Amino acid sequence: MPTIVGMRGFLASSIGVTCAAALTLPLTLPTAGHAATPPPAQESLPGTTQSLPLSSLTSTTGDRSLSRQEQGLPRRDVRPFSLVGVVWDNPDAQLHGRVQVRTRATGTTTWSTWQDVETHNDDAPDPDAPERTSGTVHGATAPLWVGDSDGVEVRVKPDTPTDRTLTPPTEPKNPTEPTDGTEPLPKGLRLELVDPGEDPPPSGAESDTPRGANLTAEAAAASAVNADLAPLGATTIPALTKKETEDDLIAARGGEADATKARPYVGPRPRIITRKGWGADEKLRERDFVYTKTVKAAFIHHSASGNNYRCSQASSVIRSIYRYHVKSSGWRDIGYNFLVDKCGNIYEGRAGGVTKPVMGAHTLGFNTNSMGIAVLGTFGSSNPPAAAVNAIARLTAWKLGLYGANPRGTTYLKSGGGNLYRKGKNVRLKVISGHRDGFATECPGRRLYKKLGTARSSSAHLQGR
């Protein structure tokens, strides 16, 4: 049965439902389990998903073999969208091939060049986790942000066996698969077109006025677990100084602040934009929050959604990824615990409380007792902005510090199964690791991965080590 986390905070009685503000810091955090939330409300924020099945493409040269090998969608008009991805039926099947899209900017006749979509999307729930075995999860590419568009064309071309660079497909061979030297494409390919909807109204102030009366039950529950950090309905959690952060942590552990005694190794709490702040439609996600026991490591990702966004669009990008993870991929919520944009802004990801060990879906096989941080962008050949690397350092110095983890250190995590480590193996990992350290993937991109040493040193310095 789900367990309800400890109560510290106030009640959101103004919306006619009791939302326990559940914030207790590491020494009083809940054990693994679920925290119950109120029943769903009817209100919903804007945003839509169009799902279009792909079919065989016919070669203009008359090569009939092409129609068996290549799938896609001819150029067509669609309702406005800003993010694209491709999904398929079996979450264990891999798409060995190349996915390309081109789009038309809304209200124009201008079409983009062909853009590649990252096909190996290994940000996912663990193999045996209830989230993974729910029957709703699909295989999926990474999402690609294309901006406001109303036309699309897509093509999916399978690899030949010699094109393969990663792991072999997990789907068994069957008589209907191609016998012409190409790898079979997964069954049920669909193009997902996501419209994030309009941004929420600006708060206008760092210290937000509570808007509990305007919250749905789900939104109140998502905000209440952070109520010791910011008012109910706040769009930001304000930054604290290092001393304020240390004093709060000492108090949470049942002690009293004393400048003459050893202080905890924790970085100053950074400013965090809440789910309310980036406009999460809380009706999309599953109602309960799922926790693990602690946070021993942070896995760094890039979203692989491209770098063609402005920081003012980051909330829209996050809402699109959220909708893609839930509605298209079938996950219970957005997969990452936190997200960072190119300007260094930090965003709350999966619901459950920014101080808590919320179970994410970010590093297949290592989601237990870890957190996932995704930098919005693609950093295989592009350097990550210094502001984003600094934000990783600030966020990890604080969150890992709450759990006594040294950013320069190593730790052990038990694998839940993946393509690098068998299920049950205790794996020694750096406390701040890249996604590729736990799974054979390009993520977080070669250029961002090279910056993790800098992030570790800065994070440890911020903790006072």
Side-chain angles (χ1 to χ4, degrees):
M1 291 293 290
T3 58
I4 300 179
V5 298
M7 297 183 182
R8 293 177 61 204
F10 51 88
L11 301 179
S13 56
S14 60
I15 60 170
V17 60
T18 300
C19 290
L23 177 74
T24 48
L25 285 169
L27 294 190
T28 54
L29 284 167
T31 56
H34 299 255
T37 58
Q42 297 304 311
E43 296 89 347
S44 180
L45 295 175
T48 60
T49 301
Q50 302 171 69
S51 185
L52 307 174
L54 303 187
S55 58
S56 296
L57 294 176
T58 302
S59 170
T60 56
T61 65
D63 182 359
R64 295 178 60 85
S65 66
L66 179 62
S67 64
R68 297 200 312 271
Q69 299 171 18
E70 196 167 323
Q71 294 188 36
L73 190 74
R75 184 181 293 192
R76 63 180 291 178
D77 298 338
V78 292
R79 296 193 307 273
F81 68 96
S82 295
L83 179 139
V84 304
V86 171
V87 302
W88 53 92
D89 295 340
N90 183 359
D92 296 321
Q94 296 185 34
L95 196 164
H96 291 287
R98 188 177 188 184
V99 177
Q100 292 183 301
V101 299
R102 57 181 172 187
T103 57
R104 184 186 62 211
T106 296
T108 74
T109 58
T110 304
W111 285 81
S112 70
T113 58
W114 285 103
Q115 299 183 75
D116 285 298
V117 179
E118 174 57 58
T119 58
H120 296 285
N121 183 24
D122 303 311
D123 308 334
D126 288 341
D128 293 334
E131 182 173 0
R132 178 82 173 197
T133 58
S134 64
T136 65
V137 176
H138 304 296
T141 67
L144 178 68
W145 176 262
V146 294
D148 193 12
S149 306
D150 62 7
V152 69
E153 182 177 6
V154 63
R155 59 191 184 194
V156 182
K157 182 178 181 181
D159 283 342
T160 63
T162 55
D163 291 329
R164 267 211 230 145
T165 57
L166 291 177
T167 54
T170 54
E171 283 188 314
K173 294 286 184 180
N174 66 65
T176 64
E177 291 174 350
T179 57
D180 53 8
T182 60
E183 291 293 338
L185 294 173
K187 294 183 176 63
L189 289 174
R190 302 182 298 284
L191 178 66
E192 301 288 293
L193 304 175
V194 180
D195 171 21
E198 297 296 322
D199 282 333
S203 64
E206 185 75 15
S207 178
D208 303 293
T209 301
R211 291 184 294 275
N214 300 324
L215 299 179
T216 64
E218 298 91 345
S223 182
V225 285
N226 293 318
D228 278 6
L229 311 181
L232 192 71
T235 58
T236 61
I237 294 170
L240 294 181
T241 66
K242 180 169 175 57
K243 183 179 185 304
E244 289 170 335
T245 306
E246 292 172 350
D247 289 348
D248 276 4
L249 182 53
I250 291 169
R253 292 173 172 174
E256 294 184 6
D258 186 343
T260 65
K261 295 182 179 179
R263 309 286 286 178
Y265 291 114
V266 62
R269 188 178 78 198
R271 176 181 179 269
I272 300 171
I273 298 168
T274 65
R275 290 172 65 91
K276 174 70 174 176
W278 55 261
D281 181 352
E282 300 295 354
K283 190 178 178 182
L284 291 181
R285 62 172 174 83
E286 288 188 10
R287 289 182 298 166
D288 291 345
F289 308 139
V290 180
Y291 302 104
T292 60
K293 293 181 179 180
T294 187
V295 179
K296 299 170 66 177
F299 285 99
I300 310 304
H301 305 254
H302 65 176
S303 63
S305 51
N307 301 321
N308 296 322
Y309 72 93
R310 301 183 302 274
C311 290
S312 61
Q313 296 176 306
S315 290
S316 294
V317 177
I318 295 170
R319 288 198 307 279
S320 297
I321 294 173
Y322 172 43
R323 180 172 278 274
Y324 184 73
H325 282 178
V326 176
K327 301 294 288 185
S328 302
S329 302
W331 301 356
R332 67 189 322 275
D333 195 347
I334 193 169
Y336 310 113
N337 298 103
F338 296 93
L339 301 100
V340 171
D341 69 24
K342 63 175 69 175
C343 292
N345 297 304
I346 298 170
Y347 302 81
E348 178 185 14
R350 181 163 286 206
V354 296
T355 64
K356 294 187 174 296
V358 177
M359 172 76 123
H362 49 84
T363 305
L364 182 65
F366 291 100
N367 290 306
T368 297
N369 297 335
S370 70
M371 67 174 181
I373 302 169
V375 180
L376 298 179
T378 303
F379 303 108
S381 57
S382 299
N383 286 322
V389 177
N390 179 262
I392 292 171
R394 291 185 289 115
L395 176 56
T396 54
W398 171 68
K399 183 65 181 277
L400 292 173
L402 298 182
Y403 292 85
N406 182 348
R408 284 200 186 101
T410 59
T411 189
Y412 282 90
L413 293 176
K414 182 177 290 187
S415 172
N419 63 4
L420 276 183
Y421 301 105
R422 60 175 173 79
K423 181 180 177 180
K425 181 177 176 61
N426 282 319
V427 181
R428 187 181 183 186
L429 293 160
K430 293 180 178 179
V431 167
I432 298 179
S433 285
H435 183 184
R436 63 176 62 183
D437 295 322
F439 198 91
T441 175
E442 294 298 317
C443 184
R446 179 172 55 89
R447 297 288 183 91
L448 178 54
Y449 189 76
K450 286 184 175 181
K451 294 293 185 180
L452 296 189
T454 299
R456 292 183 191 105
S457 297
S458 298
S459 181
H461 178 74
L462 288 167
Q463 285 189 349
R465 295 182 186 272

